[in-house]
Amino acid sequence: MSKTVKALKKKLKTGFALALLKAGKTFRLNRWSGTSFARDFSAVNANANHDNYLHHQEVCDADEPTLFDALKQGFAKDSLTGVPSGGAKNNPDYQDPHWGNTSGFLQGSLSIDELTQLPPELRIGLFEHLRDYELICRPNYLYDSEMPVMISRMSLKLKYPESVPNVYATSGIANELDLLLSEGLVKSLHDDQDGQGFFFRDARQMLMAITMRHDSKAKLDILLDHKTGELFKHWRKLLSKNTDNLYGAAQQQRGWAGKHYFSAGPYALGPAIMKFALRPLQQQQVSGLKPTTANPAAYHRQSVIDYFADGQKAEFEFCVQIATADSIQSPQDGDPPKQVMATEYNDLTWDEDNAPFWRVGKVTLNGPVNQDKQPGDNWYQAKDDRWYSAEQHQYAVRFNAWNTFEQTRPLGQLFRARKSVHGFHRETRMSHCFGDTPQPGTRCPFSSQV
């Protein structure tokens, strides 16, 4: 190694670099025979499958607890990036690089009204009954100039009549069910599908990206290692393929209410593997400064406010996609069987010709939650109304993909990581943003148990 590289590596020992180096030692970054940022599926065989749809098959790596701990530390360090003086409580436009910025809270409903396309054995959980659910929606915008990533997201929290497993409730259950979605594209909008999956295939890729965020010894170790450097280049290529079309003029001119949203990863549906999506029933053309040249958080929030200013509603078809063998690309070198790919690969787009999105219901968003609710209503409390504020107390309501039934749980390593990382990241972010001041209330609007 040249003296120049050695000198550079010596200079780049920041606090974040030291944390990453600790993680690097855990993963033996300088002793690879392969790379610890790629998964080994060589011993995985396909389980028996006799249905017309693929059965999910999870593969848990032995070192996942250590991997997830490294991710927690990476998220915690990242949440310090760009925090303004006095914390985010004094700057409603602050964006955490992983969490983004809330654009407000909306009231609405989900009607499950069409299940004939689902096989009877898959009509379970949220898809067991034809009925309506009251909901709140958190529109969110994520902008990370270093990645770079800019994407609209929507999180839905349903008021559920039965108890649902909940990762935040002290009792482990609550009368709520969460659905988390991110902006994406469909084949009809562009010849090359992209953006339906997540930015990362698995937790190892996410850790690699966090490691690469800063100039550090760990970053140089990755780039100077032949196998890991090639893996990083391959991931960057896939990231561009999965997201570049989202940043084109055609997509950027669609407002948040005119975009398609996807579950950004696979979920169980009994034995099957599903994704869910929202298809807009209206168009929303936007103009003016792009979110990348204006204040992105304020731009997105204002577009939500402007949309409901004249009393119109935002409506979306709620759809479900079931993975089939023909909808999954053929395994390449290093890939596991198709049912494992569909289960463990969060960045994988399934071919819609062989796995169409079936409409199962409709989401209606009526406007901000506080526009017509009165004290005493089930999910409005005059003495604890901080949970819906788009400005100072934007962090109060907690969403998690794991707030759902076991039979419809998230699948894959990245979702397994999120189960613990998201809660840890939130508490760290709250501490950074609000310091020793009282944190905003975290009571779920549908349940006193959270």
Side-chain angles (χ1 to χ4, degrees), residues 5-27:
V5 171
K6 288 182 178 179
L8 180 59
K9 291 174 71 174
K10 185 176 181 180
K11 290 180 180 179
L12 295 175
K13 290 183 178 180
T14 62
F16 185 61
L18 292 175
L20 292 171
L21 287 172
K22 184 176 181 181
K25 290 177 182 178
T26 301
F27 287 106

Side-chain angles (χ1 to χ4, degrees), residues 123-140:
R123 298 174 195 172
I124 53 178
L126 177 60
F127 312 104
E128 183 176 359
H129 304 287
L130 297 175
R131 64 186 181 189
D132 298 336
Y133 302 90
E134 185 178 1
L135 66 78
I136 60 168
C137 170
R138 182 184 70 186
N140 174 279

Side-chain angles (χ1 to χ4, degrees), residues 12 14 16-17 19-21 23-24 29 32 35 37 70-71 74-75 78 81 98 144-148 200 203-225 227-236 239:
L12 295 175
T14 62
F16 185 61
L20 292 171
L21 287 172
L29 297 181
W32 290 319
T35 170
F37 288 117
L71 275 175
F75 269 57
D78 272 359
T81 303
H98 296 286
D144 184 344
S145 60
E146 294 186 27
M147 188 67 68
F200 310 101
R204 295 185 186 279
Q205 283 191 359
M206 178 175 278
L207 180 61
M208 180 174 62
I210 292 176
T211 303
M212 295 294 290
R213 178 181 291 278
H214 300 274
D215 290 335
S216 63
K217 182 178 185 299
K219 178 176 181 178
L220 289 174
D221 280 344
I222 289 175
L223 292 178
L224 294 176
D225 181 273
K227 291 186 177 180
T228 313
E230 289 300 313
L231 179 65
F232 176 75
K233 292 177 183 178
H234 179 66
W235 171 76
R236 289 291 302 186
L239 175 67

